């Protein structure tokens, strides 16, 4: 590449609070590329972050009774925790609530307004709240949002507009002059045919109906609409427009904006147009990758009893199988640019076939044999024979092959090149049969060459794997202590290891998985969680019902007047011997004495009731409870957790009727 710097970005993530392996996909790929270019000698800046403004967050915060910032802070912290767990080596995590970003966006908005690229008008159009996107009627798909397929609603409000239509011809020329600008090529055709040729509409870039956003500093009724805000992060993170713009001068234009295909329009049309209006250079490349489909669907549904048994939470996968297992699957399994599918079975199968059977087996066998035959001190090879030459050539050519794939933004291919070498080395073991050579004293020289070739394969392969599965690759390199401190690719190639180098026998780096057992264990765990969630939901529904007034059959006033309610005084109260819940109350109504049995022993002690006035249903037909005739019923309120006596006024006359 022409310059010695490399600037790579992920899209900034909306803090939904539901982080999945799909969220991890783009960031893991960008991290692998950032790590690769650092080791290749580039000065790298890797940016990721969160997009924190807009109507959705404002609404959700209101539902929770907190401020939008209070709502999103713990969600953002959780995302940062996931990136730490996966060894994501970003240089900055930007939040669109960061003060420096806010200041830059306001400067950009004002500059575009003052030069006439932004103007005030009134907007009436269809708005998709989940996507935070405006659409014309012709852009709708069956009356719904063309991006997410959900309902839209008509909105009308005063807004500022960006003259996107002004830049249509320049964007077309950008595509024509730079056919590699937007990748894969199918995305470019989509932009031209679906958006540019039908006619670009000017873009609504402010809102008055929401307050959670960056204020337009010269018109405080308006906040900056999400896409001007979000897209500007790519230059605000570098200090564009600030007193210290040294990072911007050093790293801009970006080498690569990596983004999902669902938001490619904003990065391939709107963002270039904004940069053109600002008079700033355009990024070298925008790449719109496909989706990671879980179980075959973008949103996974369960295959058995409506239970999703696929592991979609990255924390679950890392806890069970390690961070590099998830990194490797995301980088290796998914054909870049196309949609990929995650299933538990595909994940476990890939781990066993590549990491356990191929790489793990090669490292385990080789390091064990060096220790068995040479006491852990690797002798220098004696003579390279014809059988060795292919493996030596592949080792020497490994860096160029991987670098070429990375430049193509084809990470699965890059890993494929490494594992092509690993697979060939395993076959080489079967061809050379070192266990046979070890029994023949005259073959000691040949055995040393075989072990040297295999050890060099391991050193080179693990060095090239450092950007992709850094923790596991380092564990393998630690088996070669004199060569374990690797900072770059300068020693990739055959013949580096010196005579007598130490080789430590490796513990299993990737233990083999019993796929059938693990699938059953995962399914059982997910079913248990499903049951737990159902029980929690039922508990919540039950609690809600307790707070709702119970609907009962309506009665007439004449029916109600048949109930005779009287004020009574509790003269004595004792527990009913045969019951834990019943109390026997002796009541004075002034004109007569009554005995009433009441089930309130869990809530009141007998001595607490003596001397208190109560409300008595005096004309209730007597009933026997535990052999005691109860001559009426005292009134209580019941909120489900607590029962309280309904008491008349302190000065109410005993025996008086309650109306």
């Amino acid at each position: 590449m022409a310059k010695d710097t490399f600037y790579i970005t992920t899209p900034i993530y909306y803090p939904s609070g539901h982080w999945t392996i799909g969220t991890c996909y783009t960031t893991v790929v960008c991290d692998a590329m950032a790590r690769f270019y650092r080791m290749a000698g580039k000065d790298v800046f890797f940016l990721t972050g969160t997009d924190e403004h807009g109507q959705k967050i404002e609404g959700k915060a209101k539902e929770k009774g907190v401020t939008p910032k209070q709502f999103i802070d713990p969600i953002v912290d959780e995302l940062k925790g996931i990136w730490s767990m996966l060894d994501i080596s970003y240089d900055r995590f930007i939040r669109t609530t960061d003060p420096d970003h806010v200041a830059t966006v306001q400067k950009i908005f004002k500059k575009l307004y003052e030069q006439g690229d932004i103007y005030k008008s009134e907007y009436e159009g269809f708005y998709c709240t989940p996507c935070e996107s405006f659409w014309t009627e012709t852009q709708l798909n069956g009356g719904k949002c063309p991006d997410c397929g959900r309902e839209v609603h008509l909105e009308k409000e005063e807004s500022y507009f960006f003259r996107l239509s002004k830049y249509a011809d320049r964007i077309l020329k950008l595509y024509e002059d730079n056919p590699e600008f937007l990748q894969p090529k199918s995305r470019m055709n989509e932009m031209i045919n679906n958006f540019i040729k039908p006619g670009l509409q000017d873009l609504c870039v402010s809102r008055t109906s929401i307050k959670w956003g960056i204020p337009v500093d010269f018109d405080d009724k308006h906040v900056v609409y999400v896409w001007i805000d979000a897209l500007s992060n790519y230059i605000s993170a570098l200090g564009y427009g600030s007193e210290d713009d040294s990072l911007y001068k050093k790293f801009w234009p970006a080498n690569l904006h990596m983004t999902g295909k669902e938001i490619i329009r904003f990065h391939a049309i709107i963002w270039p147009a904004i940069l053109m209006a600002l008079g700033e250079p355009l990024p070298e490349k925008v790449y719109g990758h496909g989706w990671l489909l879980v179980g075959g669907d973008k949103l996974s549904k369960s295959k058995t009893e409506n239970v999703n048994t696929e592991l979609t939470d990255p924390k679950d996968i890392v806890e069970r199988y390690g961070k590099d297992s998830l990194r490797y699957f995301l980088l290796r399994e998914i054909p870049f640019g196309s949609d990929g599918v995650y299933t538990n079975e595909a994940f476990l199968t890939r781990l066993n076939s590549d990491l356990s059977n191929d790489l793990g087996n090669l490292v385990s066998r080789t390091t064990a044999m060096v220790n068995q035959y040479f006491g852990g001190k690797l002798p220098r090879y004696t003579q390279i024979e014809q059988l060795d030459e292919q493996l030596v050539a592949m080792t020497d050519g490994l860096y160029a092959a991987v670098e070429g794939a990375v430049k193509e933004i084809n990470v699965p291919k890059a890993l494929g090149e490494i594992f092509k070498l690993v697979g060939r080395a395993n076959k080489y073991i079967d061809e050379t049969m070192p266990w046979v050579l070890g029994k023949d004293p005259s073959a000691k020289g040949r055995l040393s060459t075989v072990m040297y070739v295999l050890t060099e394969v391991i050193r080179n392969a693990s060095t090239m794997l450092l950007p992709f599965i850094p923790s596991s690759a380092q564990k393998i390199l630690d088996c070669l202590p004199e060569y374990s401190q690797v900072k770059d690719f300068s020693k990739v190639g055959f013949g580096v290891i010196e005579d007598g180098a130490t080789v430590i026998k490796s513990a299993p780096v990737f233990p083999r998985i019993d796929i059938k057992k693990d699938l059953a264990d995962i399914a059982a765990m997910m079913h248990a969680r499903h049951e737990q969630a159902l029980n929690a939901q039922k508990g919540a529904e039950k609690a809600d019902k307790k707070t709702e007034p119970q609907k009962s059959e309506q009665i007439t006033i004449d029916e109600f007047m048949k109930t005779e309610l009287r004020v009574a005084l509790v003269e004595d109260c004792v527990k009913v011997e045969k019951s834990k819940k019943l109390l026997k109350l002796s009541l004075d109504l002034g004109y007569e004495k009554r005995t009433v049995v009441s089930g309130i022993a869990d809530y009141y002690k007998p001595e607490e009731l003596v001397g208190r006035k109560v409300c008595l249903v005096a004309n209730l037909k007597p009933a026997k409870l535990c052999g005691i005739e109860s001559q009426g019923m005292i009134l209580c309120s019941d909120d489900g957790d607590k029962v309280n006596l309904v008491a008349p006024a302190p000065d109410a006359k005993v025996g008086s009727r309650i109306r």
Side-chain angles (χ1 to χ4, degrees), residues 12-27:
I12 50 177
Y13 294 98
Y14 168 71
S16 65
H18 182 55
W19 306 121
T20 69
I21 52 175
T23 311
C24 300
Y25 178 37
T26 314
T27 307

Side-chain angles (χ1 to χ4, degrees), residues 4 74 90 133 144 158 209 240 245 258 260 326 400 410 429 447 451 487 529 567 590 631 633 651:
D4 291 330
Y90 56 79
S133 300
K144 296 183 178 180
E158 179 186 87
S209 58
Y240 171 81
D245 61 355
M258 187 77 73
L326 178 55
N410 193 334
I429 292 176
L447 180 61
M451 288 295 101
K487 302 298 182 186
R529 285 187 184 176
V567 177
Q631 302 163 324
M633 181 176 68
D651 58 350

Side-chain angles (χ1 to χ4, degrees), residues 170-361:
R170 287 182 64 180
I171 292 169
L172 271 177
K173 189 170 188 333
L174 166 69
Y175 293 169
E176 291 169 3
D177 294 346
N178 302 276
E180 300 299 313
F181 171 77
L182 179 55
Q183 294 290 316
K185 290 185 178 179
S186 58
R187 306 281 186 253
M188 187 177 292
N189 296 332
E190 179 188 342
M191 294 303 102
I192 294 171
N193 296 327
N194 294 355
F195 297 102
I196 299 176
K197 282 188 176 179
L200 286 181
Q201 305 290 319
D202 286 352
L203 186 70
C204 175
V205 291
S206 78
R207 303 291 304 277
T208 57
S209 58
I210 60 175
K211 298 302 178 186
W212 179 237
I214 296 175
V216 175
D217 56 356
F218 56 85
D219 191 341
D220 58 9
K221 288 193 306 180
H222 292 256
V223 297
V224 179
Y225 178 54
V226 63
W227 288 110
I228 290 281
D229 173 8
L231 289 164
S232 297
N233 92 91
Y234 299 128
I235 54 177
S236 70
L238 300 176
Y240 171 81
S242 70
E243 291 182 4
D244 182 5
D245 61 355
S246 56
L247 287 176
Y248 180 76
K249 290 175 179 175
K250 181 177 183 179
F251 287 103
W252 192 259
N255 298 81
L256 178 62
H257 285 322
M258 187 77 73
T259 187
K261 65 180 181 180
E262 73 278 9
I263 53 173
I264 194 67
R265 175 173 70 101
F266 306 108
H267 291 78
I269 295 177
I270 297 172
W271 180 227
I274 292 171
L275 290 168
M276 289 172 182
L278 291 172
E280 299 297 331
L282 304 186
E284 292 180 4
K285 193 181 296 289
V286 174
Y287 199 101
H289 63 70
W291 289 329
L292 175 60
L293 307 178
V294 179
D297 300 302
K298 190 183 179 194
L299 296 176
S300 174
K301 298 293 182 185
S302 138
K303 298 178 181 178
T304 55
E305 301 175 8
N306 242 9
V307 180
N308 173 17
T309 57
E310 310 295 354
L311 288 174
T312 60
D313 188 331
K315 294 188 289 296
D316 283 337
I317 296 176
V318 171
E319 183 178 345
R320 290 180 71 94
Y321 302 106
K323 53 192 171 186
D324 281 345
S325 295
L326 178 55
R327 285 180 65 103
Y328 183 77
F329 180 85
L330 294 174
L331 296 169
R332 181 77 166 96
E333 182 76 11
I334 299 160
F336 216 65
S338 303
D339 292 343
V341 177
Y342 173 91
T343 65
N344 295 333
E345 186 170 5
F347 173 70
L348 298 179
T349 300
R350 176 61 77 177
L351 298 192
N352 264 0
S353 64
D354 289 11
L355 298 184
S356 180
N357 291 358
D358 288 353
L359 181 60
N361 197 30

Side-chain angles (χ1 to χ4, degrees), residues 18 56 80 217 225-226 276 325 422 483 506 511 516-517 629:
H18 182 55
K56 285 182 288 184
K80 285 184 172 181
D217 56 356
Y225 178 54
V226 63
M276 289 172 182
S325 295
V422 170
Y483 302 92
S506 172
K516 186 175 181 180
K517 180 181 180 299
E629 184 177 73

Side-chain angles (χ1 to χ4, degrees), residues 18 58 71 92 94 97 115 216 224 242 275 314 331 338 342 371 421 425 457 552-553 595 600 653:
H18 182 55
E58 185 177 67
F71 173 74
R92 177 170 179 183
I94 191 170
T97 52
Q115 68 189 35
V216 175
V224 179
S242 70
L275 290 168
L331 296 169
S338 303
Y342 173 91
N371 276 268
L421 176 65
V457 167
S552 57
E553 183 182 350
T595 297
I600 57 174
K653 186 178 178 182

Side-chain angles (χ1 to χ4, degrees), residues 413-480:
K413 182 180 177 183
L415 283 168
E417 295 293 342
I418 299 171
F419 276 83
K420 192 186 298 181
L421 176 65
V422 170
R424 183 65 189 90
N426 278 311
K427 185 179 178 183
Y428 175 81
I429 292 176
D430 295 334
E431 292 170 339
T432 56
M433 296 186 290
W435 53 90
V436 174
L437 297 173
K439 295 176 183 178
D440 182 359
S442 66
K444 200 74 171 178
R446 178 61 186 151
L447 180 61
S448 67
T449 297
V450 170
M451 288 295 101
Y452 187 92
V453 170
L454 290 170
T455 306
E456 274 288 49
V457 167
I458 290 171
R459 185 186 65 81
N460 279 272
S462 53
T463 299
M464 295 308 301
L465 283 170
L466 280 170
F468 308 102
I469 48 173
S471 178
S472 301
Q474 187 59 55
K475 285 181 182 178
I476 297 170
L477 282 168
D478 286 344
C479 293
L480 307 170

